[in-house]
Amino acid sequence: MNKVVFVKAYFVPVGENKVVKVPTGEKKKGFLGGESDVTKDERKWVQTGFSDCMIDSGRLTKDLEEAVIKLNKEGYEVVSVTQVISGDYSWKTQAMAQGGAGYGYGFSYTDGLMVVARKV
C-alpha cells in the first residue's frame, strides 16, 4: 500500500532593520522627582511581509523532515520526493504621448514537495 503526502512550501519572510528603544532595567529621577525607565537604542530586524518569489528553503527542509519522520513512524518507507512547481507573471504598462508601451515576464517557483511512501 502506498501513501502520498504534500509538503507545502512557503515564501521567505522579508523585513528591515529598525532602531528600537529597549529598557535597560535602570530608572532615572526626573526634574520633579518622578522616575522613568532608562532606554538604549538597539537595531532589530522587523518583518514587513513575505517575498513574492523566494521560497523559505530552511522551513521547507524542516517540514519535509517532519513528514518523513511521521511516515516512518506509521510504517512507511519513502520511495520518492518530487518538486511541484507553480508559476506566476507580472506586467506593467506606461502611457506615452503616441500610445502605450509595456512589458511582462513570467517565473516559476516551488509550490511544495510530493512525497510518495510504501508500507513496509
Side-chain angles (χ1 to χ4, degrees), residues 1 8 38 40 43 52 57 62-63 73 80 82-83 103 110-111 117:
M1 178 165 51
K8 175 97 177 100
V38 175
K40 64 178 181 176
R43 293 187 68 78
D52 61 357
S57 57
K62 183 175 104 7
D63 292 347
K73 284 182 180 177
S80 69
T82 307
Q83 179 179 353
Y103 67 91
T110 302
D111 194 39

Side-chain angles (χ1 to χ4, degrees), residues 63-112:
D63 292 347
L64 176 61
E65 180 181 30
E66 289 173 3
V68 170
I69 289 170
K70 183 178 179 191
L71 286 166
N72 288 328
K73 284 182 180 177
E74 293 174 0
Y76 288 90
E77 175 184 50
V78 173
V79 175
S80 69
V81 177
T82 307
Q83 179 179 353
V84 177
I85 298 174
S86 289
D88 205 351
Y89 63 91
S90 185
W91 56 273
K92 292 195 184 224
T93 59
Q94 181 176 342
M96 301 176 96
Q98 297 295 322
Y103 67 91
Y105 57 91
F107 58 92
S108 60
Y109 57 89
T110 302
D111 194 39

Side-chain angles (χ1 to χ4, degrees), residues 17-82:
N17 286 317
K18 289 189 174 184
V19 176
V20 293
K21 297 207 176 288
V22 178
T24 62
E26 299 175 16
K27 300 276 187 189
K28 67 178 177 181
K29 288 203 179 242
F31 181 67
L32 299 175
E35 286 187 346
S36 62
D37 292 328
V38 175
T39 61
K40 64 178 181 176
D41 289 347
E42 229 177 66
R43 293 187 68 78
K44 182 179 178 182
W45 186 82
V46 178
Q47 182 177 341
T48 57
F50 290 92
S51 170
D52 61 357
C53 61
M54 289 182 59
I55 298 301
D56 188 343
S57 57
R59 178 176 178 177
L60 183 58
T61 302
K62 183 175 104 7
D63 292 347
L64 176 61
E65 180 181 30
E66 289 173 3
V68 170
I69 289 170
K70 183 178 179 191
L71 286 166
N72 288 328
K73 284 182 180 177
E74 293 174 0
Y76 288 90
E77 175 184 50
V78 173
V79 175
S80 69
V81 177
T82 307

